[in-house]
């Protein structure tokens, strides 16, 4: 759905650094934001989410408070990945993931399950096991079935298959493709559906927010899966941006073609990194990156959730992966809201989306 932009963004971005210098900021403690994102998003029929570091959730009071107050959906950043759930073959450890699901339940939040089939963070017994196709397929079937059944009824959206494509649109060379062939993708969706027919099943990837060979390949994949009756419900656009590159354009048009297939869409892992240290110009560009991602979602009829990949620079995957870059999140290391946070508030407050799935 195309909706008018009710706020003049240029004007609001110019004011953002002032908005951050609130009294609570000056006092040194974590700021108490005026209207939480989850409330503003509810007005737009949107769930707003964050990836959650479960150790921080346990140990850090401010982190726990903001996770509960600002967000209406949560995604486990690591604890639902295969290496976490089944570090030794046949021995599941659900404890950390269960803690997050329980937290979500207590806070009226939905859960995005992440992730069933990926090439990363696999247990070594699986990758080093030299399994032939029959045994690997059986292991994947069992993993999906056990995991989805364990959380049955408590997961809103599952990232069933994650990052299966290269940038040029060819399928990624992974243990799954190499050993099982491309049919592993359809199998994964069918097995997940059998285990929990009510969960929404997503394909999820990065650098697919705009049109290009990779997003075209995802489009072709989900269209053909749907045509074959494979139970895929949605497509997740991760939204990992960097201000070192031009901010993307045309994202709403790209989301729209998936919407026209009858699929749900979601922004699943938004963050906008920058060379550090941050300065006001970089923070303003970052805010615009976040705003554009949210705008694309709000313009898309069935874009049902907007999730950031962590909300504070205190805990972030970025500096380890991109040395010299960081400051990618909505709150700084001391939980002070950044211009990006204010940009999301303004964007949500200035929209009046009347319908979306949820
Ligand atoms: O758990 C071990 C710990 O035992 C050990 O002491 C420590 C030493 O480095 O490592 C810990 O594991 C780390 C793990 O995060 C949990 O903290 C890994 O080294 C680290 O590589 C891993 O990084 C995660 C990354 O996925 C792995 O690819 C990030 O936290 C997580 O944010 C990131 O998330 C991915 C999404 O799942 C998919 N899309 C991209 C996104 C960003 O890369």
């Amino acid at each position: 759905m195309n909706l008018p932009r009710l706020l003049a963004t240029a004007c609001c971005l110019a004011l953002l650094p002032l908005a951050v210098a609130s009294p609570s900021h000056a006092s040194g403690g974590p700021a108490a934001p005026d209207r939480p994102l989850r409330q503003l998003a509810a007005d737009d029929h949107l769930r707003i989410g964050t990836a959650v570091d479960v150790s921080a959730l346990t140990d850090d009071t401010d982190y726990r408070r903001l996770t509960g107050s600002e967000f209406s959906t949560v995604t486990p950043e690591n604890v639902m990945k295969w290496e976490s759930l089944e570090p030794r073959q046949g021995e599941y450890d659900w404890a950390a993931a269960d803690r997050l699901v329980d937290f979500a339940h207590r806070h009226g939040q939905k859960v995005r399950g992440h992730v069933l089939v990926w090439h990363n963070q696999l247990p070594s017994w699986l990758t080093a096991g030299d399994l032939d196709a029959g045994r690997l397929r059986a292991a994947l079937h069992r993993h999906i079935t056990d995991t989805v059944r364990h959380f049955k009824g408590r997961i809103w959206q599952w990232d069933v298959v994650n990052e299966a494509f290269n940038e040029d649109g060819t399928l990624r060379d992974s243990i799954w493709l190499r050993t099982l062939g491309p049919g592993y993708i359809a199998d994964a969706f069918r097995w997940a559906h059998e285990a929990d027919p009510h969960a929404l099943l997503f394909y999820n990837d990065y650098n697919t927010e705009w049109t290009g060979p990779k997003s075209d390949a995802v489009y072709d994949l989900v269209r053909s899966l749907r045509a074959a009756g494979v139970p895929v419900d949605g497509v997740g656009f991760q939204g990992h941006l960097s201000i070192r590159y031009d901010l993307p354009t045309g994202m709403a048009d790209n989301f729209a073609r998936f919407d026209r297939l009858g699929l749900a869409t979601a922004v699943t892992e938004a963050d906008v990194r920058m060379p550090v240290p941050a300065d006001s110009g970089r923070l303003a560009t970052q805010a615009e990156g976040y705003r554009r991602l949210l705008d694309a979602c709000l313009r898309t009829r069935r874009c049902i959730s907007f999730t950031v990949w962590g909300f504070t620079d205190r805990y972030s995957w970025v500096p380890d992966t991109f040395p010299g870059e960081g400051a990618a999140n909505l709150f700084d290391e001391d939980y002070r809201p950044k211009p990006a946070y204010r940009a999301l508030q303004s964007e949500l407050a200035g929209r009046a989306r009347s319908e979306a799935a949820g």
Side-chain angles (χ1 to χ4, degrees):
M1 176 192 301
N2 283 331
L3 292 165
R5 298 235 344 94
L6 300 179
L7 286 182
T9 307
C11 114
C12 299
L13 281 178
L15 291 174
L16 286 169
L18 291 177
V20 171
S22 63
S24 48
H25 176 174
S27 74
D34 6 78
R35 239 191 124 200
L37 296 177
R38 65 182 287 176
Q39 267 184 32
L40 294 165
D43 296 349
D44 293 319
H45 303 273
L46 179 73
R47 291 265 171 173
I48 189 127
T50 183
V52 176
D53 174 333
V54 174
S55 302
L57 191 73
T58 308
D59 299 339
D60 180 335
T61 315
D62 292 328
Y63 183 91
R64 191 160 57 243
R65 180 177 56 78
L66 284 168
T67 301
S69 62
E70 288 289 333
F71 301 99
S72 49
T73 171
V74 291
T75 306
E77 183 175 359
N78 285 300
V79 297
M80 270 187 208
K81 292 171 178 173
W82 197 333
E83 71 172 6
S84 302
L85 292 180
E86 196 184 2
R88 282 166 302 282
Q89 189 167 14
E91 289 179 31
Y92 285 105
D93 181 357
W94 308 107
D98 282 345
R99 271 209 305 284
L100 178 60
V101 173
D102 291 345
F103 176 92
H105 185 68
R106 288 197 306 278
H107 290 81
Q109 297 167 319
K110 297 200 183 204
V111 181
R112 295 198 81 259
H114 178 84
V115 53
L116 295 173
V117 190
W118 194 26
H119 59 277
N120 250 336
Q121 290 177 280
L122 295 169
S124 52
W125 62 261
L126 183 83
T127 50
D130 208 15
L131 302 180
D132 63 21
R135 289 166 67 212
L136 188 70
R137 191 163 185 272
L140 183 61
H141 186 192
R142 189 185 47 76
H143 169 70
I144 291 176
T145 304
D146 290 351
T147 304
V148 176
R149 269 197 198 144
H150 177 83
F151 297 106
K152 187 174 179 182
R154 297 186 292 163
I155 300 289
W156 181 34
Q157 308 170 19
W158 267 113
D159 286 332
V160 176
V161 178
N162 194 42
E163 302 173 6
F165 287 101
N166 297 309
E167 296 303 304
D168 66 1
T170 56
L171 281 170
R172 182 189 290 273
D173 177 29
S174 67
I175 185 172
W176 309 118
L177 183 69
R178 259 194 319 277
T179 317
L180 305 181
Y184 80 87
I185 297 177
D187 284 340
F189 281 97
R190 290 194 180 103
W191 295 333
H193 183 71
E194 279 165 17
D196 185 352
H198 297 298
L200 295 175
L201 305 183
F202 273 64
Y203 177 82
N204 191 49
D205 216 325
Y206 60 90
N207 290 353
T208 49
E209 296 79 13
W210 49 88
T211 48
K214 192 174 188 180
S215 114
D216 290 351
V218 174
Y219 180 80
D220 290 343
L221 169 75
V222 292
R223 191 178 50 178
S224 59
L225 290 175
R226 297 277 283 194
V230 176
V232 53
D233 300 299
V235 171
F237 304 99
Q238 294 186 5
H240 293 293
L241 305 184
S242 168
I243 70 162
R244 297 175 77 157
Y245 310 106
D246 289 342
L247 294 177
T249 56
M251 293 190 285
D253 290 341
N254 184 42
F255 288 20
R257 63 178 172 155
F258 291 90
D259 197 78
R260 285 194 296 273
L261 290 178
L263 290 162
T265 51
V267 174
T268 54
E269 305 186 12
D271 54 18
V272 185
R273 61 188 185 271
M274 64 179 71
V276 287
D279 61 31
S280 59
R282 289 170 176 169
L283 290 169
T285 306
Q286 175 184 59
E288 174 62 9
Y290 273 101
R291 190 200 65 75
R292 286 191 195 185
L293 285 166
L294 178 58
D295 172 70
C297 181
L298 288 172
R299 285 177 190 278
T300 306
R301 194 158 71 92
R302 275 174 288 251
C303 187
I304 59 178
S305 59
F306 179 92
T307 292
V308 294
W309 203 243
F311 61 89
T312 167
D313 295 337
R314 184 174 287 220
Y315 308 105
S316 170
W317 66 284
V318 170
D320 288 341
T321 307
F322 298 98
E325 292 186 75
N329 302 104
L330 299 177
F331 291 80
D332 71 13
E333 292 186 357
D334 297 316
Y335 295 109
R336 289 178 294 226
K338 293 158 66 178
Y341 175 83
R342 301 299 181 196
L344 295 191
Q345 275 189 319
S346 302
E347 195 69 15
L348 291 167
R351 308 297 280 249
R353 200 166 75 145
S354 59
E355 56 173 306

